[in-house]
Amino acid sequence: VTGVQTCALPISPSFRGHAESESLGVPVVRLLRDFAQRQARGFLGGLQPKSWKEPRNTLYIDLSLSETAILEQMKPKGRYNIRLARRKGVSVVEDPSPEGVADFLDIYDETFSRHDISGHSEEYFRELTARLFPCDRGTIFFAEYRDMRLATAMVIYGGDRATYTYGGSRDLHRNVIDRKSTRLNSSH
């Protein structure tokens, strides 16, 4: 389609062979449809994934609402943690630069190691950011305290949605930040 900007996305290692056989300009919808059909065939054949790396539940937040209205929809503990982080001097910054990606990977890996689970590889995120960031389809936010990045959230844009899919937090300064604080503040 003329005039439509497209980005090819790496989805998972099992997706790689198909993605590489197509050009980078192939519409994402077709790639995702083909991937979903292959996954459905696998499930029908009795194959189950070994572990889930993506969230199984999604919460939608209307970002056109005021901050007060968004906070009112949250549980009291979430509101408390966000306000505490602000009082303690935690700030949220956006950094999709190569240094930001490296910091994201450090925090992501630390989080997954702490919980003794496996996450996506560095190569996965390098490919994902290389394809999303140049066409303004994603970014990375950090919660910082005293010039130290304590938590991170990768946000992916699609249509009228901004989706927080990947992130992590350090096991430092837990008295000033809760990992959810990054999510709300990254919506601004």
Side-chain angles (χ1 to χ4, degrees):
V1 177
T2 305
V4 174
Q5 182 178 9
T6 62
C7 293
L9 304 176
I11 302 298
S12 74
S14 62
F15 187 72
R16 180 179 314 284
H18 182 71
E20 289 176 352
S21 68
E22 302 282 354
S23 71
L24 295 180
V26 173
V28 174
V29 173
R30 188 172 80 204
L31 293 174
L32 293 175
R33 183 187 63 232
D34 294 348
F35 175 72
Q37 289 171 347
R38 284 197 313 283
Q39 293 300 311
R41 284 193 298 270
F43 287 137
L44 293 174
L47 301 174
Q48 296 293 324
K50 293 180 182 176
S51 66
W52 290 95
K53 293 182 182 175
E54 317 308 343
R56 296 180 110 177
N57 299 312
T58 302
L59 173 66
Y60 293 99
I61 300 171
D62 183 354
L63 299 179
S64 67
L65 299 175
S66 69
E67 181 176 327
T68 302
I70 292 171
L71 287 169
E72 286 174 0
Q73 295 176 15
M74 298 177 71
K75 293 180 181 177
K77 181 69 173 175
R79 288 192 298 269
Y80 171 81
N81 286 332
I82 288 170
R83 290 177 178 139
L84 175 65
R86 286 183 180 160
R87 281 195 308 272
K88 297 283 186 168
V90 175
S91 61
V92 174
V93 297
E94 181 178 7
D95 183 4
S97 72
E99 293 80 17
V101 173
D103 289 345
F104 168 86
L105 289 168
D106 286 344
I107 296 170
Y108 178 85
D109 289 341
E110 180 180 323
T111 302
F112 277 74
S113 293
R114 184 173 62 246
H115 294 286
D116 197 29
I117 54 177
S118 63
H120 288 293
S121 68
E122 178 178 332
E123 179 186 354
Y124 173 86
F125 285 111
R126 298 267 182 217
E127 288 181 30
L128 182 67
T129 58
R131 294 175 189 210
L132 289 178
F133 290 8
C135 50
D136 295 323
R137 298 288 187 225
T139 194
I140 299 173
F141 291 97
F142 294 94
E144 292 184 346
Y145 176 69
R146 296 183 179 167
D147 296 323
M148 181 182 288
R149 290 181 166 176
L150 300 179
T152 185
M154 181 179 290
V155 176
I156 298 173
Y157 304 117
D160 63 351
R161 301 226 189 258
T163 305
Y164 161 71
T165 307
Y166 305 108
S169 61
R170 296 197 186 279
D171 204 19
L172 300 169
H173 300 292
R174 292 301 213 188
N175 60 324
V176 298
I177 189 168
D178 175 78
R179 62 187 174 84
K180 294 177 182 155
S181 302
T182 308
R183 291 184 218 168
L184 176 69
N185 288 311
S186 64
S187 66
H188 293 280

